[in-house]
Amino acid sequence: MQLGTRWLVGEAAPARLPAPVAVAVREVEAGLDSVDTTGWRWTLTWLEDNAVVELDDGTLIRYVDGNVVVLEPEPPQDD
């Protein structure tokens, strides 16, 4: 069993985070330069020994079988 952790946007990712996931985190953060992310955090959890990282805005990064998948949150629907 691996314990998860949290860290602020812009801080170094945990050392145990797989390198491809850390790269994906940095890429997502680079795309947030026009957004005020003050206080936003990443949450790292482990699902069947695979890293799952979620940003406070709902962005999800999964690492399964050596592949990184980034799922961005759905934009709000206008009614």
Side-chain angles (χ1 to χ4, degrees), residues 2-77:
Q2 297 186 57
L3 296 177
T5 191
R6 297 187 73 181
W7 70 98
L8 290 169
V9 167
E11 288 184 349
R16 70 178 183 263
L17 192 64
V21 179
V23 169
V25 165
R26 288 192 299 272
E27 289 173 352
V28 168
E29 288 182 351
L32 296 173
D33 58 354
S34 64
V35 177
D36 179 11
T37 59
T38 304
W40 284 21
R41 293 182 175 267
W42 290 100
T43 302
L44 167 63
T45 56
W46 298 92
L47 180 61
E48 297 178 358
D49 292 326
N50 294 302
V52 178
V53 181
E54 185 172 5
L55 184 58
D56 284 345
D57 75 344
T59 300
L60 192 66
I61 301 173
R62 293 178 157 244
Y63 188 62
V64 179
D65 298 328
N67 297 304
V68 174
V69 177
V70 178
L71 303 169
E72 296 185 10
E74 299 267 340
Q77 299 289 325

